[in-house]
Amino acid sequence: MFIRRRMGVATIAGLFCLLTMETWPMDRVRAQEASGASSGAGGASKEGVYAGVTLWRIGPALMSGRVGDIAVDPVKHSTWYVAAASGGVWKTTNSGTTWSPIFDGYGSYSIGCVVVDPGNHLVVWVGTGENNSQRSVGYGDGLYKSIDGGASFSKVGLERSEHIAKVLIDPRDSNVVYVAVQGPLWNPGGDRGLYKDHGWGQDVEGRARCQREPR
């Protein structure tokens, strides 16, 4: 009986030590954080500065889970364009409070990129076909351009691209546009490579293509 009692006391003492060892580092960290908050630069800690900043979801909620690209109007900063990899193009004019789909009536639901012309904020380019090389992937039907802030779009070429990764506009000359095209994922041919456009989207097909060496 005496031995059992001694073993019981030893077990309780061991558990107490373990609990003390587990909580002591956290108490020390909290004490250090508290002292740092009072002695930091300007009397404010990093935690205090960001205490009131929280993240919340602003939409669009029904986008099939993948946002491919975001473009912000360089003039009206509350206007954003969001390219959904499997859900079209969405536009907000109030910093994300409400959203409107602006690409539902066109040939592709899968979007790879969206960009606003830095020289003319009403010009919006959309490259269709998400830039994801995976098993579950949507493909597009070419390059589109809007001249009225996304109210309407016109297809301007690269119909066989399937996946457009990037559109870059020369900030010095809006007539110069570069388009990076991935092309079909599992088939040869199609439109693939780097394209340069000199005519506001009217002759992008096959112009100044960078030929790649065969591997």
Side-chain angles (χ1 to χ4, degrees):
M1 180 68 68
F2 178 72
I3 296 175
R4 290 181 179 176
R5 287 182 179 177
R6 289 188 62 181
M7 293 178 62
V9 172
T11 302
I12 293 173
L15 289 174
F16 177 77
C17 291
L18 287 174
L19 290 174
T20 304
M21 293 174 64
E22 289 289 336
T23 58
W24 178 77
M26 292 303 300
D27 293 337
R28 185 176 180 182
V29 170
R30 293 191 184 98
Q32 290 176 348
E33 290 179 348
S35 63
S38 60
S39 62
S45 67
K46 182 172 65 175
E47 289 77 9
V49 172
Y50 296 106
V53 179
T54 58
L55 297 177
W56 67 96
R57 185 173 61 184
I58 60 176
L62 302 175
M63 58 190 180
S64 297
R66 301 190 300 276
V67 171
D69 201 6
I70 299 175
V72 179
D73 191 314
V75 176
K76 299 179 178 180
H77 294 167
S78 60
T79 297
W80 312 340
Y81 299 87
V82 172
S86 188
V89 181
W90 296 77
K91 180 180 180 180
T92 176
T93 58
N94 49 26
S95 299
T97 302
T98 58
W99 295 86
S100 300
I102 60 174
F103 206 74
D104 286 0
Y106 299 93
S108 176
Y109 69 92
S110 179
I111 310 299
C113 60
V114 59
V115 62
V116 180
D117 188 340
N120 184 348
H121 72 111
L122 295 178
V123 175
V124 182
W125 293 77
V126 171
T128 62
E130 62 176 303
N131 184 29
N132 293 308
S133 300
Q134 57 189 24
R135 291 178 299 171
S136 176
V137 62
Y139 62 89
D141 68 335
L143 181 67
Y144 288 79
K145 178 185 172 184
S146 172
I147 59 173
D148 51 16
S152 62
F153 288 87
S154 299
K155 187 189 294 186
V156 293
L158 300 175
E159 285 87 353
R160 300 179 301 155
S161 57
E162 294 196 10
H163 303 277
I164 297 178
K166 198 74 173 177
V167 176
L168 295 176
I169 303 169
D170 191 331
R172 302 162 301 181
D173 185 357
S174 295
N175 289 322
V176 179
V177 180
Y178 299 89
V179 185
V181 183
Q182 185 174 8
L185 295 182
W186 300 292
N187 293 316
D191 298 320
R192 62 178 75 239
L194 179 63
Y195 291 80
K196 183 178 180 181
D197 171 30
H198 292 279
W200 282 81
Q202 300 304 312
D203 59 358
V204 73
E205 188 75 27
R207 283 295 185 94
R209 180 176 178 180
C210 292
Q211 302 291 339
R212 299 186 301 172
E213 293 293 331
R215 300 292 182 181

